[in-house]
Amino acid sequence: MDKSEKKQIAGHLLVECLVHQGVTHAFGVPGESFLAVLDGFHAYKEHIQFITNRQEGGAAFMAEAQGKLTGRPGICFVTRGPGATNASIGIHTAFQDSTPMILFVGDVGSDYRDREAFQEVDYNSFFGPNTKGLAKRVERVDDPQRLPEYVSLAFAMAMNGRPGPVVVVLPEDMLTQMVSARPLPRVDPVEAWCDPGALRKLREMLLAAQRPFVIAGGGGWTPQAAQALERFADAWKLPVGNAFRFQDTFDNHHPLYAGDVGIGINPALARRIESCDLIIALGPRLGEMTTGGYALLQAPKTVQKLVHIHGGAEELHRVYHADLAMNATMNAAARALEVLSPPIELPWAAWAHEAHADYLANLKPQALPGSIDMPAIIACIDRHLPADAIVTNGAGNFASWMHRFHRHHGLAKGHKTQLAPTSGAMGYGVPAGIGASILTGRTVLTIAGDGDFLMNGQELATAMQFGGKTIIVLLNNSMYGTIRMHQEREYPHHESGSGLRNPDFVALAHAYGYAGV
């Protein structure tokens, strides 16, 4: 028999397709609806590892972290119904963070479909592929011979344009059929290049400016793109701020770095952005957190001249009407910008220097009440963390300490070092850190609140099973602190629902096999 005619069950073919796409790890919780795929992971165990999680939300967060770290889709497998709905938090995070990811859902058999069979869900309705939904696309594979086509499509959709999550639904009976189809070649993202005319206009706008400012962030960045951004900023002496929770896009030690543009923004930086006359937004969606509730940059038309460069054409003019909109991937855009020739003298050089000075001044600790000195703790962490360490967090006021005082060396040094949910999802930091450790072997530090930790703390068991090693700094104030803060402001002395009675976290760490102090 010719090798191309050799048959295998569809579940094995699916795993082989992932191997051909360069996937080395997949995260998930096993389910009876995709037993044939699990058997495929056994068949191809020399090439790919299935990481067994304790809950689908944790698995989806690990896959989302995988997408952020690699720039290729993170892979997650879950079973139908509750498995898919549990994983939806990771899908939402991947969508809002512009992270490439593929969620494979084992589904009810084709002969049971549309009867509200056990755990049946209409995934097109649930994940809603549109600009307000959870996923970029939802596909159901009914013909096993077309599995290579659908896998290739999912990878292309997840990476091209604005990166994001794709959901692929796998009927249980389809996965057990014998097929002769073969995997398709590896899919790489398509580069969208800047229009030369738009580049000329951007240069003209820079030459007419007195106080320009760059906001960098969003999905689709590579070390090469970050390095090109540095060269562009150096040539034009441009102050650069990183968008909310994309603080590793531009080196925080660079003399042109002005700080993070997000929650708890440095007031001096906020005033600087409000007073600038040209904003170059390179990559971010310009969402609520980066724009200070659409007030720092007024929607739909900014006071400042606005150049918006984004990999997804559908994002341009969606919220902000830009003076110049450019559809380009970050790699192409940054490489195009770095060759723009600056004039001999730039009127804003001193202004850019002051922006960095404001950033450094904001790093100086202030006297705080209580016995816990968070700036000193972050300073201690920074002294010990290697430059390529990965820092992760979920959602809560605790994260603001790391965002303000920790300084990322940035992608330009070759490594992504921040994993944080712009979606504001609690419970992200612990599984994202564990997934990052398993994938990279690098030092990983997670900062978590008590409420945040307990949402996915069970994934410590996954770490111990698969060799993940993370350092977790857990801030235990026995409350949902952010909610309490809002309550004390809006309803003074009427705290309700925000208090927590916690376990002994040291004993809990020991129970999982972690050290705990």
Side-chain angles (χ1 to χ4, degrees):
M1 179 184 294
D2 185 87
K3 186 177 181 181
S4 63
E5 297 176 355
K6 183 180 179 180
K7 290 191 175 184
Q8 60 183 330
I9 64 172
H12 286 211
L13 172 62
L14 174 56
V15 176
E16 187 182 11
C17 288
L18 295 179
V19 171
H20 275 249
Q21 293 299 331
V23 179
T24 58
H25 295 78
F27 301 91
V29 176
E32 69 275 14
S33 57
F34 62 99
L35 290 176
V37 178
L38 293 173
D39 195 62
F41 282 114
H42 181 270
Y44 289 93
K45 62 185 178 183
E46 300 300 321
H47 305 282
I48 189 170
Q49 185 177 24
F50 182 79
I51 305 297
T52 306
N53 290 90
R54 280 12 184 212
Q55 206 261 9
E56 291 87 357
F61 280 147
M62 289 193 190
E64 198 276 346
Q66 181 183 25
K68 276 192 170 88
L69 288 167
T70 66
R72 294 185 64 80
I75 303 299
C76 184
F77 279 85
V78 298
T79 196
R80 60 200 180 201
T85 55
N86 280 345
S88 65
I89 188 171
I91 291 293
H92 180 246
T93 297
F95 192 91
Q96 290 224 325
D97 288 42
S98 303
T99 304
M101 177 180 170
I102 303 173
L103 177 70
F104 291 96
V105 181
D107 196 21
V108 300
S110 303
D111 50 347
Y112 288 178
R113 189 181 177 191
D114 297 329
R115 293 176 176 173
E116 197 185 345
F118 180 59
Q119 299 181 333
E120 184 176 9
V121 169
D122 181 339
Y123 298 104
N124 270 290
S125 298
F126 182 76
F127 287 108
N130 54 55
T131 56
K132 295 181 181 179
L134 295 180
K136 287 184 70 176
R137 190 170 182 130
V138 179
E139 293 289 352
R140 177 186 173 92
V141 186
D142 290 307
D143 181 356
Q145 288 290 139
R146 296 182 64 187
L147 267 170
E149 175 188 344
Y150 280 104
V151 171
S152 179
L153 170 65
F155 272 78
M157 283 296 301
M159 291 186 290
N160 288 335
R162 173 185 168 185
V166 174
V167 177
V168 180
V169 182
L170 308 167
E172 182 178 2
D173 55 334
M174 179 276 294
L175 291 171
T176 60
Q177 296 181 39
M178 299 299 294
V179 290
S180 58
R182 305 297 303 144
L184 290 170
R186 175 186 168 105
V187 175
D188 288 311
V190 175
E191 297 281 8
W193 283 87
C194 298
D195 168 47
L199 284 169
R200 286 193 294 271
K201 183 176 180 181
L202 189 154
R203 185 175 184 274
E204 291 169 2
M205 294 172 74
L206 272 170
L207 292 175
Q210 294 295 312
R211 298 177 305 280
F213 193 89
V214 176
I215 301 176
W221 284 90
T222 64
Q224 294 74 24
Q227 291 159 10
L229 170 60
E230 279 196 8
R231 291 189 288 268
F232 170 58
D234 282 332
W236 286 84
K237 300 296 184 286
L238 291 166
V240 180
N242 288 328
F244 177 58
R245 289 184 171 165
F246 289 102
Q247 287 173 249
D248 57 354
T249 309
F250 191 84
D251 186 355
N252 300 179
H253 299 79
H254 195 283
L256 289 168
Y257 183 59
D260 62 299
V261 187
I263 294 176
I265 186 173
N266 179 359
L269 176 56
R271 290 191 296 270
R272 190 170 299 278
I273 292 173
E274 289 171 342
S275 67
C276 74
D277 56 4
L278 175 63
I279 294 284
I280 300 175
L282 184 54
R285 294 188 294 114
L286 295 177
E288 178 185 352
M289 297 297 103
T290 296
T291 63
Y294 308 104
L296 187 65
L297 300 180
Q298 294 181 18
K301 188 70 183 74
T302 58
V303 175
Q304 310 90 334
K305 293 285 185 182
L306 174 63
V307 177
H308 194 185
I309 306 173
H310 200 279
E314 72 282 357
E315 293 301 318
L316 298 169
H317 300 308
R318 177 182 169 192
V319 177
Y320 287 95
H321 184 86
D323 297 276
L324 176 61
M326 300 170 65
N327 179 208
T329 56
M330 294 306 95
N331 189 48
R335 288 163 62 189
L337 291 174
E338 72 167 318
V339 299
L340 291 182
S341 57
I344 296 175
E345 292 189 9
L346 295 163
W348 58 76
W351 193 72
H353 176 76
E354 292 165 4
H356 183 64
D358 287 343
Y359 165 68
L360 294 178
N362 198 46
L363 293 175
K364 295 178 181 177
Q366 301 167 335
L368 298 171
S371 58
I372 304 298
D373 188 340
M374 284 307 301
I377 290 173
I378 303 303
C380 178
I381 288 170
D382 279 3
R383 284 196 299 271
H384 292 282
L385 283 182
D388 68 345
I390 300 168
V391 176
T392 80
N393 62 265
N397 279 356
F398 64 86
S400 299
W401 299 107
M402 188 63 76
H403 293 347
R404 176 174 173 180
F405 292 105
H406 176 65
R407 302 176 71 184
H408 292 271
H409 287 273
L411 267 172
K413 297 296 187 288
H415 297 287
K416 181 160 185 63
T417 58
Q418 183 184 40
L419 297 175
T422 69
S423 67
M426 291 183 69
Y428 177 90
V430 170
I434 293 167
S437 174
I438 292 170
L439 289 165
T440 70
R442 286 152 57 192
T443 300
V444 178
L445 182 133
T446 297
I447 186 167
D450 46 345
D452 179 75
F453 174 86
L454 285 172
M455 289 196 176
N456 271 312
Q458 76 283 343
E459 297 302 338
L460 295 187
T462 303
M464 296 307 296
Q465 182 173 346
F466 293 96
K469 296 179 180 180
T470 63
I471 303 163
I472 299 173
V473 176
L474 197 158
L475 307 184
N476 178 14
N477 60 0
S478 297
M479 68 177 74
Y480 289 119
T482 305
I483 308 307
R484 177 66 63 83
M485 176 189 71
H486 291 308
Q487 283 181 332
E488 291 178 357
R489 184 185 64 237
E490 303 293 339
Y491 303 96
H493 312 298
H494 288 181
E495 296 91 356
S496 175
S498 55
L500 297 173
R501 182 174 179 178
N502 289 321
D504 180 337
F505 285 113
V506 171
L508 187 63
H510 292 162
Y512 279 114
Y514 264 57
V517 294

